[in-house]
Each structure stands twice: as structure tokens, then as C-alpha cells.
């Protein structure tokens, strides 16, 4: 079984030290094969905040695929925002703003949905939609096909609609048709797993909360996701009610920070199965 740790909205500069330590302990315990960091890594894209983020990810013990969020572009340094909006991000996480990670179990495609001319709202262009669809279509049947964006592709209620990624409907149709299984995101500090209806095939939006920042929503603690992909027989300690379906399965585990325990605890498990997965062993 392969394990992926999904983090978002760390907002270094507003991090809670005890939560950082608890998350490092979780990573050491679970030993993920990879880490996805879906944007808003810093609070104000300051060099010291990127250095703190780098020190943190270096301790996770796994390769990190990171994309920028709107907070990773300087807000108050107008010259930097207009001329070199991603320079500080690139010094730490590399110049490729749309990285791709490939293994026998995963195809993970990053998409830069930020725009320097906008403060918060994200966008996905036709060219980006087509690039991602091409990569997805070339994936192997054993690979879980994952797209990573910052702003959400779908939201659970109408009150969150202003946070939707521009171009979300076109992207969802094209990526589902090309074979996407999951779209990971963040931005709104609200964790959820949401199936999308009316598409060519099943597609789930998986959102992470804020991993370590003090900027939590009321009633929503710091939160991260663990994704486990493999044979369901290996998941019996984490089954949802009724047990997993036969074949390969992806377990989406939501882990929340417990103030009482000062540790991350598993709060919810959702079993997802791509349509082809019943034929995979």
C-alpha cells in the first residue's frame, strides 16, 4: 500500500509550534511515500517564512510536491508581485510551478491556479486544462490519478461559491473524461471529500484544512489528509462501516489536531474506488 500525506495552507508566519511538532510526529509515525503541499505555504511570501517552510518540509522524510497559493505571492511588495511574483517560492521549491510526480502507484499533476494580478481568486486556463488532461490520459491502469490545485474545484455549499476556481466546470469535465480520480486542494481552510456528479466518470474533490496555522475557522481544527492506495485487504484496520469494496481502493483519512492530546488524531475515513479498480489486483 502506498501512502500520500496531503497538507495545505500552512501559512508559515502564523504557524502554531505545537501543531508543527505534532504534524512532524504524525509524518514520522505514518512514513508517507510522498507529500503534497497544495499552496498558501506562507502567510505573506516573506523570505523568512519560506525559510521556515523549507526547514519544516525537510523534516517530513519524503519527497514533496508543492504548488503556490495566492499567499505565496508578495502582497505588499508591488514591484516583486508584478515582475517576479514566484521568485521567492522558486528559491525554496523549484522553478517548476506545475510539478509532476510519477510512481508505479501514483500520477500526481500540479497546477498553478494563482494569478499575480488577483489577490485571492484562482483560475485554470484552457491550456492548463488540456495539459493536465494529456498527462492523465497517458497514465497506467495501476496508477491513482491525482490533480493538485489551490482553490477548490467544488464546494459543499452555496455560501462558499465565491471561492471556486475560475474554469472549474470545464476542468472537471475534461479531467474526468481523461481519467482523473481525485482533485486535491485547499485555500478555504475547510476539509471535506465531495463526489462530483454528471461527469464522464467518478471524480472526487478532496480538500485539506489548514495544517499548522492559527488561522483556523471557528469549530474547524488544524487538519491534514492521509491517502492510502492499494489492495483493500491491507486496509482492514481503517475500514469504513460495511468494509471496503473488493479490488484496489483509496482511503481518504482526515486527521485533526486534538488540543487535549496535543497530537493529530484520525477523525474520518472515506473509501473511494475508481471505476477500473475492481479489475486491479
Amino acid at each position: 500500500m502506498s501512502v500520500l500525506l496531503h497538507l495545505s495552507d500552512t501559512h508559515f508566519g502564523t504557524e502554531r509550534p505545537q501543531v508543527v511538532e505534532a504534524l512532524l510526529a504524525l509524518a514520522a509515525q505514518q512514513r508517507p511515500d510522498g507529500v503534497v503541499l497544495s499552496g498558501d505555504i506562507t502567510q505573506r511570501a516573506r523570505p523568512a517564512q519560506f525559510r521556515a517552510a523549507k526547514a519544516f518540509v525537510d523534516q517530513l522524510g519524503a519527497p514533496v510536491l508543492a504548488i503556490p497559493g495566492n499567499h505565496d505571492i508578495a502582497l505588499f511588495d508591488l514591484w516583486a508581485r508584478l515582475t517576479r511574483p514566484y521568485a521567492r517560492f522558486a528559491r525554496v521549491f523549484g522553478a517548476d510551478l506545475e510539478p509532476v510526480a510519477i510512481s508505479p502507484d501514483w500520477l500526481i499533476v500540479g497546477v498553478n491556479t494563482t494569478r499575480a494580478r488577483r489577490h485571492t481568486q484562482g483560475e485554470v486556463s484552457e491550456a492548463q486544462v488540456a495539459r493536465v488532461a494529456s498527462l492523465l490520459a497517458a497514465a497506467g491502469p495501476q496508477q491513482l490519478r491525482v490533480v493538485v490545485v489551490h482553490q477548490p474545484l467544488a464546494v459543499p455549499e452555496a455560501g462558499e461559491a465565491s471561492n471556486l476556481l475560475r474554469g472549474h466546470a470545464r476542468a472537471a469535465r475534461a479531467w474526468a473524461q481523461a481519467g482523473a480520480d481525485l482533485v486535491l486542494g485547499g485555500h478555504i481552510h475547510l476539509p471535506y471529500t465531495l463526489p462530483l456528479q454528471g461527469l464522464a466518470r467518478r471524480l472526487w474533490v478532496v480538500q485539506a484544512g489548514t495544517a499548522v496555522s492559527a488561522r483556523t475557522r471557528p469549530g474547524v481544527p488544524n487538519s491534514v489528509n492521509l491517502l492510502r492506495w492499494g489492495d483493500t485487504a491491507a486496509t482492514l484496520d481503517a475500514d469504513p462501516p460495511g468494509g471496503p469494496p473488493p479490488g484496489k481502493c483509496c482511503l481518504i483519512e482526515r486527521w485533526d489536531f486534538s488540543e487535549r492530546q496535543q497530537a493529530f488524531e484520525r477523525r474520518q475515513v472515506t473509501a473511494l474506488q475508481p471505476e477500473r479498480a475492481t479489475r486491479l489486483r
Side-chain angles (χ1 to χ4, degrees), residues 112-174:
N112 176 21
T113 58
T114 64
R115 298 294 185 265
R117 67 183 181 274
R118 294 203 180 109
H119 177 41
T120 60
Q121 193 166 46
E123 178 183 340
V124 60
S125 69
E126 290 187 13
Q128 287 176 306
V129 170
R131 165 188 168 266
V132 172
S134 177
L135 290 166
L136 292 169
Q142 297 283 346
Q143 291 174 309
L144 193 72
R145 303 157 192 179
V146 180
V147 182
V148 185
V149 297
H150 179 57
Q151 291 87 354
L153 196 73
V155 292
E157 55 189 47
E160 300 288 347
S162 62
N163 293 309
L164 278 168
L165 181 65
R166 289 193 176 190
H168 62 92
R170 178 179 66 241
R173 288 192 300 269

Side-chain angles (χ1 to χ4, degrees), residues 5 24 27 40 56 59 68 73 96-97 99 117 127 133 135 140 150-151 153 174 193-194 238 247 261 278-279:
L5 176 60
L24 290 173
D40 278 1
F56 166 72
Q59 298 178 74
I73 303 173
D96 188 356
L97 305 180
R117 67 183 181 274
L135 290 166
H150 179 57
Q151 291 87 354
L153 196 73
T193 298
L194 187 65
Q261 299 297 327
T278 55
R279 302 187 298 273

Side-chain angles (χ1 to χ4, degrees), residues 1 5 25 31 49-50 56 62-63 78-79 86 96 112 114 123 141 149 168 194 208 219 221 223 227-228 267:
M1 173 153 295
L5 176 60
R31 302 182 62 166
Q49 294 170 0
F50 275 116
F56 166 72
L78 186 58
W79 179 250
Y86 301 104
D96 188 356
N112 176 21
T114 64
E123 178 183 340
V149 297
H168 62 92
L194 187 65
S223 184
L227 285 63
R228 304 184 194 271
R267 295 298 188 192

Side-chain angles (χ1 to χ4, degrees), residues 30 47 50 57 74 122 128 182 194 229:
Q30 297 293 324
F50 275 116
V57 299
Q128 287 176 306
L182 309 176
L194 187 65
W229 168 241

Side-chain angles (χ1 to χ4, degrees), residues 231-233 235 240 242-249 251 271-273 278 281:
D231 292 331
T232 55
T235 69
K248 295 193 82 170
C249 181
L251 295 183
L272 311 179
Q273 189 169 52
T278 55
R281 298 292 180 182

